[in-house]
């Protein structure tokens, strides 16, 4: 059943076959279901934003697609040329810039803290390469406060994320957490001043290794050999429980900021562990994003698929948006959904139990009796069983092949008017008489299921 | 609860508040659920197509948005300028052009007849005006055959559409059907040669009235007064049952083509009536699209909202796409979903029973006891009850107000460790002790419901 994802004819614009789309839809459904269970509201924002908004915060490295109306009047030429970034429209490249604009624009109509999720396509005009798309789904989850936002929301958002991921057909995953206060507090208690330089150096650990990072710490962050050693030891701390705290203190971490960071991270570990056991990890090597995020940061890795990088990242930021009345702090997480689905398909981590939603194909004896087949289908659908009627009254063998090609499990042979029909499980060949008003397929056949790859030992 | 839809800051790009989005999401969910019940596969295509594809079939009147990468290299300048329509990308303006391309591109991996539905945003750079958007959802449903497609599919697609619409919170709607063979056959049996001119004239009936159309028929379609009278009488035929046939014959309709058209339309009426009683209507005034569609055509009107125009249209076409091996005929229907949702919101045809998915807000006594509240929430969510925990341990009155502002119906007060808690229906003030492992809200409170406008007497 599982196939290599079909390459779209246009590089960087992935497109799935129906059976593949079932996997993507499943991931979207799980995200939404868990988010709603936690009381998050789904919103969508328009696909376009004024170019000046998109380039705010100096995000000019993002490859924005600019829009021009093909039949723009002469008078509009200026707007469409990109000359006036306030009137030129570009496609959004993430869901954060639109959220900030949405929150400011609708602040009087929204209740804060706003719990919102958003699953939409975004566009980036980057050179396409393995796992880098020009059009892809992003799935975001944020809690936005008005002026204030309690610290415990950081753990809460991580819990929701862990729940979403735990329901997906993925190998085991780990949510790595760190907090800015702990890292900065530690560097400070060592006597290191240039925190940004230390973070920049540590961020290179996975790429260049400890020895090279040590050189960077000495050369660029102004560290003594002793300080560099402590930083590297600090960055090697990874614990499932709160024992990271003792090790930080042993390495010389002390003071209010360090203790505050320890308390924050401990609370996150405890709360995520209570909700989704076995996935959260204190990982003090996480440096990326600590310049942007102001509290806890998260990255998530899938066992055996570390090359994907973090599949879900986020954290606490003190200002999503601000106007002359309010500041909007937030905690958010984002999944690069298309990237994840693409890997799920290409590595056969998951596939659909059949290629179509249909559970039953009702056969048609001849075109005159099609209304009988229609009536059977109607009765089954009335009880929520996805049913098709065979498009042509060919030989039954051919109608069975129609079902077989789509992995539809059951073919129904209607009886004559007033008579009971028969239903055949075309996988086993078993056939039995059945009444469309009461017949029930086994639970595992009722709806399409998304099965883990490699044969589908157990359903998700 | 119901509000005028919030105008987006950018004209033509609608954007909903969370409670409004619940209505839109409901419409999308119903479309998908019914389509899947009938065995249709959901697909998505990329948002962009090469400009030459978009302009195929001379669709240059469509206001296409062309894309340009902001940081396009010099060497790409030609591609992005629109000079080379094969390399320039534009946003799709409907879901039909992409479907045709998808079918050709993936024909070896698709099973035909292909039953597909597709719900995606499309873009048109038109001057925005009442009910005309530049970005909007379209929801399409098509059955595509390879080389052949049985005629009865025309009725089948209409049945699915009628089922979708009958599950939406709309006032009564009517699916108007006509068939090309009947109209053309009738004109032919009258001796009228220029069928296109007759159709063009009759299409103007709603706008200019019978007298003016009569003049057009005489002046432009070459009709005699007698022929014009017959055409106008023909176009006035609207019947719920097959009695349209007798009236067509009385007006002089005869011959193979007329009888074939009668048989087709009768079959559609019977089949739709059997599946969704009381919505289908033979309406021989329908002329629009008869130049493009080759079999039955459908338009759908909502009682009291005729000004919206047809909310769901479509029909049979003999060639969606073609290459040197195959032709792909189809039957399809399309709902202008955003336009419909916009009206549902502005006319208060529907609103959500609460503004958030949350059914229960668990109160927090103090920050120390937050884990107790978390545990209650976890137990409720484990049974599928959408639950939030209060963000701050303020006075209970304030926590109740948090729920009230969002129309969350229940507030849960957790007991001390090991003690049972209490749940309060904040609408009635009723409060009772309850165990999160077993408590069930009334079915109508479990999930957000979309209620008909004007007070919500009955749920959908």
């Amino acid at each position: 059943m599982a196939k290599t994802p079909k390459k779209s004819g246009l590089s960087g614009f992935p497109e799935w076959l129906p059976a593949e789309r079932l996997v993507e839809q499943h991931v979207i459904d799980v995200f939404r279901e868990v988010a709603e269970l936690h009381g998050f509201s789904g919103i969508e924002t328009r696909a376009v934003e004024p170019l000046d908004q998109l380039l705010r915060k100096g995000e000019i490295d993002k490859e924005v697609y600019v829009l021009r109306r093909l039949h723009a009047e002469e008078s509009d030429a200026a707007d469409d040329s990109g000359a006036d970034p306030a009137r030129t429209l570009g496609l959004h490249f993430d869901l954060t810039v639109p959220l900030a604009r949405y929150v400011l624009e609708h602040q009087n109509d929204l209740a804060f803290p706003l719990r919102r999720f958003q699953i939409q396509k975004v566009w980036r005009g980057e050179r396409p390469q393995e796992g880098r798309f020009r059009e892809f789904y992003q799935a975001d989850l944020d809690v936005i406060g008005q002026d204030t936002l309690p610290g415990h929301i950081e753990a809460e958002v991580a819990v929701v994320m862990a729940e979403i991921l735990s329901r997906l057909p993925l190998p085991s995953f780990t949510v790595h957490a760190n907090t800015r206060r702990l890292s900065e507090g530690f560097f400070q208690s060592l006597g290191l001043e240039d925190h940004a330089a230390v973070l920049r150096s540590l961020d290179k650990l996975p790429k260049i290794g400890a020895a090279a990072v040590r050189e960077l710490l000495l050369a660029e962050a102004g560290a003594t050999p002793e300080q560099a050693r402590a930083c590297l030891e600090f960055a090697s701390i990874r614990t499932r429980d709160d024992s990271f705290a003792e090790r930080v203190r042993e390495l010389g971490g002390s003071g209010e900021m360090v203790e505050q960071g320890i308390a924050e991270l401990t609370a996150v570990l405890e709360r995520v562990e209570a909700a989704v056991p076995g996935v959260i990890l204190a990982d003090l090597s996480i440096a990326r994003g600590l310049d942007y995020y102001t509290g806890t940061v998260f990255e998530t890795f899938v066992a055996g698929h570390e090359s994907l990088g973090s599949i879900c990242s986020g954290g606490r930021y003190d200002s999503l948006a601000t106007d002359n009345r309010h500041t909007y702090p937030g905690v958010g997480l984002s999944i690069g959904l298309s990237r994840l689905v693409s890997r799920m398909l290409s590595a056969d981590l998951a596939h659909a139990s059949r290629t179509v939603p249909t559970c039953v194909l009702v056969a048609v004896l001849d075109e005159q009796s099609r209304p009988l087949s229609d009536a059977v289908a109607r009765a089954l659908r009335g009880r929520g069983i996805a049913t098709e009627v065979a498009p042509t009254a060919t030989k039954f063998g051919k109608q069975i092949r129609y079902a077989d090609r789509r992995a539809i499990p059951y073919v129904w042979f209607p009886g004559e008017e007033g008579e009971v029909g028969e239903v055949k499980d075309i996988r086993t060949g078993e056939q039995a008489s059945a009444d469309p008003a009461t017949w029930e397929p086994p639970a595992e056949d009722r709806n399409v299921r998304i099965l883990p790859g490699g044969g589908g030992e157990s359903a998700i």
Side-chain angles (χ1 to χ4, degrees), chain A:
Chain A
M1 287 270 310
K3 308 170 91 177
T4 304
K6 189 77 190 170
K7 287 276 182 253
S8 157
L10 207 55
S11 180
F13 293 86
E15 205 163 69
W16 311 126
L17 290 170
E20 296 165 343
R21 168 65 182 162
L22 287 169
V23 174
E24 182 177 71
Q25 184 68 66
H26 175 73
V27 174
I28 290 171
D29 287 348
V30 166
F31 191 103
R32 173 182 162 196
E33 190 188 333
V34 174
E36 289 184 343
L37 256 184
H38 285 263
F40 284 73
S41 293
I43 66 159
E44 293 205 338
T45 55
R46 60 193 193 219
V48 303
E49 299 291 339
L51 191 56
D52 61 343
Q53 290 290 315
L54 291 172
L55 302 184
R56 226 165 45 109
K57 305 191 179 181
E59 295 266 27
I60 41 168
D61 56 323
K62 293 287 189 302
E63 287 274 7
V64 177
Y65 276 114
V66 176
L67 263 53
R68 176 174 64 81
R69 292 196 295 127
L70 188 59
H71 299 299
E73 288 79 8
E74 290 303 309
S75 62
D76 293 347
D79 319 354
D80 286 341
S81 69
D84 179 354
R87 300 188 61 194
T88 304
L89 298 178
L91 292 173
H92 57 211
F93 55 78
D94 71 7
L95 302 177
T96 305
V97 171
L99 176 63
R101 195 259 315 145
Y102 182 92
V103 162
L104 287 183
E105 192 168 314
H106 304 290
Q107 56 183 308
N108 295 330
D109 297 299
L110 296 169
F112 293 96
L114 172 70
R115 300 158 76 84
R116 93 84 171 78
F117 73 93
Q118 190 170 350
I119 307 170
Q120 273 182 267
K121 291 205 174 119
V122 303
W123 293 267
R124 295 183 187 176
E126 299 174 359
R127 289 260 161 241
Q129 41 177 293
E130 169 64 22
R132 287 242 169 179
F133 297 128
R134 292 184 148 188
E135 172 178 76
F136 57 97
Y137 265 116
Q138 202 160 301
D140 278 23
L141 187 86
D142 291 75
V143 181
I144 308 296
Q146 194 169 51
D147 299 319
T148 60
L149 189 68
H152 65 80
I153 302 285
E154 297 168 35
E156 187 177 349
V157 170
V159 165
V160 184
M161 188 235 299
E163 268 190 49
I164 291 168
L165 294 173
S166 69
R167 293 204 198 180
L168 295 179
L170 290 173
S172 69
F173 66 91
T174 313
V175 179
H176 298 234
N178 191 13
T179 170
R180 179 164 168 171
R181 260 176 286 271
L182 183 55
S183 287
E184 293 214 15
F186 180 76
F187 305 151
Q188 195 165 308
S189 58
L190 287 186
L192 285 162
E193 291 303 320
D194 190 349
H195 302 168
V198 180
L199 287 171
R200 263 199 315 277
S201 306
L202 292 180
D203 190 33
K204 302 209 169 90
L205 259 176
K207 275 194 193 134
I208 63 176
V213 168
R214 184 175 178 279
E215 295 309 312
L216 279 181
L217 286 167
L218 299 177
E220 295 185 11
T224 65
E226 187 55 23
Q227 287 169 329
R229 194 196 54 78
C231 284
L232 284 167
E233 288 226 12
F234 176 85
S236 74
I237 297 173
R238 294 185 175 203
T239 69
R240 294 266 173 193
D241 57 20
D242 63 3
S243 60
F244 74 90
E246 235 3 80
R247 296 186 51 194
V248 170
R249 294 188 192 108
E250 283 165 17
L251 287 174
S254 64
E256 197 183 336
M257 210 165 157
V258 165
E259 291 304 323
Q260 212 182 335
I262 286 173
E264 275 174 20
L265 196 50
T266 303
V268 166
L269 293 183
E270 282 174 358
R271 230 168 135 201
V272 176
E273 186 66 26
V276 185
V279 304
I280 187 81
L281 181 76
D283 177 355
L284 309 193
S285 74
I286 293 185
R288 179 179 307 254
L290 282 188
D291 48 343
Y292 170 65
Y293 293 113
T294 55
T296 318
V297 288
F298 302 98
E299 296 195 346
T300 312
F301 299 92
V302 177
H305 298 273
E306 289 78 6
S307 65
L308 265 180
S310 171
I311 58 160
C312 178
S313 310
R316 160 93 186 208
Y317 39 88
D318 276 352
S319 174
L320 169 76
T322 183
D323 63 10
N324 47 22
R325 290 182 301 153
H326 295 293
T327 297
Y328 293 92
V331 182
L333 285 163
S334 179
I335 295 183
L337 197 140
S338 295
R339 198 171 146 72
L340 183 60
V341 168
S342 177
R343 176 61 66 98
M344 289 168 74
L345 294 170
S346 67
D348 190 21
L349 299 180
H351 60 262
S353 59
R354 48 190 192 247
T355 67
V356 292
T358 317
C359 175
V360 179
L361 176 77
V362 183
V364 178
L365 182 60
D366 51 43
E367 284 303 331
Q368 283 64 48
S369 71
R370 181 171 291 279
L372 280 181
S373 299
D374 280 348
V376 169
R378 208 148 54 230
L380 292 171
R381 286 187 202 116
R383 295 186 297 111
I385 300 167
T387 306
E388 279 180 57
V389 176
T392 34
T394 49
K395 286 184 190 149
F396 281 162
K398 243 184 135 179
Q399 297 189 43
I400 291 172
R401 265 205 301 288
Y402 176 100
D404 194 40
R405 280 189 64 189
R406 292 158 174 82
I408 298 171
Y410 298 96
V411 174
W412 194 289
F413 303 98
E416 304 282 313
E417 190 85 54
E419 277 177 33
V420 74
E422 301 218 327
V423 64
K424 182 191 191 95
D425 181 333
I426 65 168
R427 298 159 301 187
T428 63
E430 239 174 282
Q431 188 165 336
S433 65
D435 181 344
T438 54
W439 178 80
E440 195 52 48
E444 68 267 23
D445 286 336
R446 214 177 204 277
N447 298 308
V448 178
R449 283 172 310 145
I450 303 304
L451 304 166
E457 309 75 9
S458 62
I460 299 304

